[in-house]
């Protein structure tokens, strides 16, 4: 239990982790005595499609992704902030390991978006060529509980501009 008046967890948003040698590209929060990193958020799958679009084609890697619902990420950050110091990096990820191209294709199909997703082994993700497991958390990662199918059916997409 935390007394919110006298003891507040310290969190600082620092943006995205660089992807040297095709490692992380996701959000990082600095916690007391350590850090926190999460796999890609499900909420960004539509943006990933947009960034990879050429004409009516979405060119994506066939690399695995283990996306996490933003609500699960928020819960994991709160849990980490309220826990004793980790003295190291805390990793979190989604509960399902899926190919990036297949997941984005499912989102577009659900949205009735006419763009076609194609596998492109040379496709870049945030400016970097992915290896098969670049976007997968480590073996000791804490996994969220929200499965993709539930998220797709129950979390509204952002409003169209």
């Amino acid at each position: 239990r935390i007394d919110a008046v006298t003891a507040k967890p310290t969190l600082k948003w620092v943006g995205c982790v660089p992807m040297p040698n095709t490692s992380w590209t996701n959000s990082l929060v600095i916690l007391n005595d350590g850090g926190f990193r999460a796999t890609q958020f499900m909420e960004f799958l539509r943006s990933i499609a947009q960034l990879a679009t050429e004409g009516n084609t979405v060119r994506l890697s066939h690399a695995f992704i283990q996306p996490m619902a933003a609500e699960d990420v928020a819960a994991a950050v709160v849990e980490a902030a309220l826990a004793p110091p980790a003295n190291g990096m805390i990793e979190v990820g989604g509960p399902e390991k899926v190919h990036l191209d297949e997941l984005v294709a499912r989102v577009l199909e659900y949205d009735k978006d006419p763009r076609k997703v194609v596998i492109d082994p040379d496709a870049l993700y945030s400016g970097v060529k992915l290896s098969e497991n670049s976007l997968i958390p480590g073996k000791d990662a804490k996994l969220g509980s929200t499965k993709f199918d539930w998220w797709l059916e129950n979390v509204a997409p952002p409003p169209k501009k």
Side-chain angles (χ1 to χ4, degrees):
R1 196 171 136 166
I2 288 189
D3 175 355
V5 174
T6 60
K8 296 180 184 176
T10 302
L11 297 176
K12 180 180 179 186
W13 186 259
V14 295
C16 292
V17 177
M19 285 187 62
N21 301 320
T22 66
S23 57
W24 290 87
T25 180
N26 301 293
S27 304
L28 174 69
V29 176
I30 301 300
L31 302 171
N32 292 336
D33 299 312
F36 180 96
R37 61 184 171 189
T39 58
Q40 189 57 263
F41 298 8
M42 291 178 191
E43 286 75 6
F44 294 135
L45 291 170
R46 290 174 178 94
S47 296
I48 290 169
Q50 188 59 40
L51 292 170
T53 297
E54 295 175 5
N56 207 30
T57 302
V58 180
R59 298 186 174 288
L60 291 170
S61 167
H62 193 59
F64 284 107
I65 187 170
Q66 203 164 327
M68 193 172 190
E71 185 175 317
D72 287 349
V73 176
V77 169
V78 169
E79 181 182 325
L82 298 176
N87 297 317
M89 187 63 67
I90 297 169
E91 290 183 286
V92 296
E96 301 166 297
K97 182 177 172 180
V98 186
H99 290 284
L100 175 61
D101 60 293
E102 294 169 3
L103 205 58
V104 169
R106 289 177 59 198
V107 170
L108 296 180
E109 181 181 347
Y110 180 84
D111 291 349
K112 296 179 177 36
D113 186 314
R115 290 178 288 175
K116 179 181 173 157
V117 176
V118 298
I119 296 171
D120 182 349
D122 295 319
L124 300 180
Y125 179 89
S126 295
V128 175
K129 187 173 177 181
L130 299 175
S131 67
E132 184 177 58
N133 291 310
S134 296
L135 302 176
I136 301 300
K139 64 179 174 63
D140 295 325
K142 295 179 183 189
L143 302 181
S145 61
T146 303
K147 299 211 174 199
F148 175 76
D149 287 335
W150 185 92
W151 174 85
L152 190 60
E153 293 286 332
N154 293 282
V155 176
K160 296 195 180 203
K161 295 179 180 182

